[in-house]
Amino acid sequence: MWIDNHGYFSLNFVTTRGCPYKCNWCAKPIYGNRYNSHSPENIVLEIKKWQQQFGFTHIWFADDIFGLKPNWLKDFEYHIKKENVKVNYKIQSRADLLLLEEDNIKHLANSGCSMVWMGAESGSQRILDAMDKGTKVEQIYEATRLLKKHNIHVSLFLQLGYLEETIDDIKLTVKMVEELLPDDIGISVSYPLPGTVFYDKVKEELKGKSNWTDSDDLDMMFKNTYKPEFYKQLQRYIHRRYRKQMGFESARKLFSQPSGQNLKNTLSLIKIIPQEFLEKQKLKQIEPDATAKF
Ligand code: SF4
């Protein structure tokens, strides 16, 4: 099924448990603050063993944070080369971690990393600070620039509707997406998971609502700056707006870098431009004042 749908076979691996960072909405109760990690050598030997058996060519490393320990990525590259393992892989990471050691991104590229999903969350420093994210907006820009330079695809996780976020913060997030033009974006709405600092801040407002029973990941469960339906519609609008920008970018490149993908993205504008317009009209009906600022 994987090969039929994607043209290649991918397997999931996990090399670590836990995360020492302190983003105050994150599901820390599951693994806690400890960070336990297998050695790079051990992981490479595992990959080699299972690859011989199943012939996969891609891995999704599902670690919350991949390669945090000092020199882990350098050693991983060393063992990948030593064992002559050929594999592409995808990871999740943070902007500051990607920049932590000088050659982190180079080691990722040299060991087969083809995609990084970065927990960017917001283009507003005020919101990142309120989340205790511990990253700077400039780091998101710099990490994205370096990943692209090393031909690693970069995708951004974004979060809408954190406490006290206003349309000005949202505009900064949209601006960041349009300036960076990542390869993909994933948008969720701030979600109060029990056991987190964020949950404690809003629990009085949940009024007996249960996670997952009374909500999904795009439902705003607490009273926020805008109506709950605004956030659901906002993510649809941002997705269309992002696709439109990607279409324009592909159109711009079409003559200097002709490719099937650039042609496809350019042609998709015929569909996306009216879609984006309609999504914006729907957004306007929900929160006219906020939408007027886009
Ligand atoms: S969001 Fe990512 S970096 Fe932050 S605590 Fe959770 S796993 Fe760690």
Side-chain angles (χ1 to χ4, degrees), residues 19 21-23 25-28 64-65 94 121 133:
C19 171
Y21 293 99
K22 309 235 179 300
C23 312
W25 43 266
C26 180
K28 304 292 287 192
D64 283 335
I65 289 292
R94 303 167 41 103
E121 321 305 347
K133 183 77 196 174

Side-chain angles (χ1 to χ4, degrees), residues 238-268:
I238 294 176
H239 268 291
R240 294 293 186 282
R241 195 166 154 153
Y242 159 69
R243 294 281 164 214
K244 188 180 82 173
Q245 290 304 323
M246 291 294 272
F248 285 143
E249 179 65 7
S250 291
R252 198 182 59 77
K253 286 187 193 156
L254 199 54
F255 293 105
S256 57
Q257 298 167 34
S259 73
Q261 191 59 48
N262 281 339
L263 182 63
K264 196 173 153 201
N265 288 352
T266 305
L267 292 176
S268 72

